[in-house]
Amino acid sequence: MSIRLKITLWFAAALFIVIAMTYAVILSVSREVIQKTVRDTLLETVENNVDEIEYYKDITGIDLNTETDHFIIYKDGYLEVDDDFLDEVNEVYTALYSSDGTLMYGENPLAMELAGMEFSDSVVRTRTVGGELFYIFDRELTGPGLGGLWLRGVVSELQGNLQMHEISVLSLIILPVILLVAIVGGYLIAGRMLRPINNITETANMIGRGGDLKQRIEVKKGNDELHRLAESFNEMIGRLDAAFEAERQFTSDASHELRTPMSVIMAQCEYSLDETRTQEEYQNALGVIKRQGRKMSRLINDMLDFVRLERHSGCYAMEKTNLSELVSSVCQDMALIGEKGIKLSCIQGDNITACVCPELINRLLTNIISNAYRYGNENGSIKVELSEDENCIRLSVADDGIGISEDEQELIFNRFYQSDSSRSGVGTGLGLAMVKEIASLHGGSVEVNSELGKGSVFTFVLPKKPEQQVK
Ligand code: ADP
């Protein structure tokens, strides 16, 4: 079952319950209101009729032939019942009774049934007759000569039934129509709202079938959850695309770098196997094969290190480290290289500390110092300096070697980049790329300042965290 249908069904079920409850409430409230109206009408009718009865001792002078009022002989006079007396209105019946309970005027459909019922002034009472409930309201007349006379009003509870029936029928027509409109509207809106999900599915299927990570989900303007989901999905595809592209590039660069030593090894093997060679020629060929094999081995090790660094960037534990001690220890070890008569000196400050991964900082410094030896001049010098100010810590390595041209300074941090002069050397072109990666892993950067023929300064800048900054 589709989400759209599920949502619609849930919505319909909830709405059905609400509408059923509304129907019940409407019926119950209407019933209450109508019953109250019936009782109020009864009261009002009886009260109005009270003023329509008068007592006359003498009615000479009144022409009974033309008179529209009714005259009833009562005691030693007459009762005049005005022609405005409503003995039946809206099924409310009013009748005039003498004190002994004799019906004198008006109508009472329950006259027989209520014959023995005591009068009770100004109180609405109920009586069930033949399964039907009736409201009864008595009123004692108090005017001159009217003492002992009573008006009794009677109305059936069913009097409001017609209105109730109308309300019920109206509700039964209107409420299902509302339910239907809401369900259809809900179904259409759900379809519209869920459209981005269809787009996501289609795009995911297309990527799955063709592996084309350039595909994107078409999203119209909007800021609801599904639009945000589609945008996140697009960002994710973008990142995957970039990651795959980087992977592809790396594989292609790596195979390109490995191809050269491999071709040299193959050529040397063919040369040696082609025909019988002298002892010296075999030794030379094996020497070349050994050098190229070493180069491949270095390249593979560096590549593995680099890939590990990129893949597990989040797995290196950062800890509070005494950088002064770390730098001093690395310099002591590296000074032992003593290649080309180069002297290495170190200024490491006192107890400069930072939250870093010591293993990676060691690698960063080793790579830069190794380069300084590699590209340094005979009997030159390397100066390592660790310093800090209120905002950052700086670790610089200065050499007085061959230097780097301005054009190349941009490129040396790219993977596998090597200047032409250093291609034949022992480098792999991954050292500085690794340095850059380590620097950014720590939230820092690495800068180069160099002049061809004069030397280079590589500086790792590590910004201090706000709590470390000295104000
Ligand atoms: P490599 O293994 O070739 O040294 P790196 O990534 O460490 O690779 O360096 C890239 C290139 O940058 C080197 O081939 C070299 O041309 C240049 N380079 C790096 N460090 C120095 C330096 N201290 N002095 C001069 N050139 C340098």
Side-chain angles (χ1 to χ4, degrees), residues 371 374-375 399 404 412 417-419 422 427-429 431-432 456 458:
N371 279 350
R374 199 174 299 156
Y375 306 108
D399 66 62
I404 307 159
I412 53 173
Y417 182 82
Q418 289 185 293
S419 68
S422 47
T428 58
L432 287 179
S456 320
F458 283 87

Side-chain angles (χ1 to χ4, degrees), residues 319-381:
E319 55 192 70
K320 197 174 175 203
T321 309
N322 188 327
L323 283 177
S324 300
E325 281 175 9
L326 179 79
V327 169
S328 165
S329 140
V330 173
C331 286
Q332 271 174 24
D333 293 350
M334 296 298 282
L336 296 176
I337 298 176
E339 220 175 90
K340 299 181 197 167
I342 296 174
K343 293 258 175 307
L344 188 146
S345 61
C346 175
I347 302 170
Q348 71 277 335
D350 281 331
N351 294 324
I352 296 177
T353 52
C355 190
V356 295
C357 171
E359 185 197 334
L360 293 181
I361 297 297
N362 188 326
R363 186 68 197 257
L364 174 141
L365 189 54
T366 309
N367 280 9
I368 301 177
I369 296 177
S370 301
N371 279 350
Y373 272 115
R374 199 174 299 156
Y375 306 108
N377 289 326
E378 293 285 333
N379 301 318
S381 66

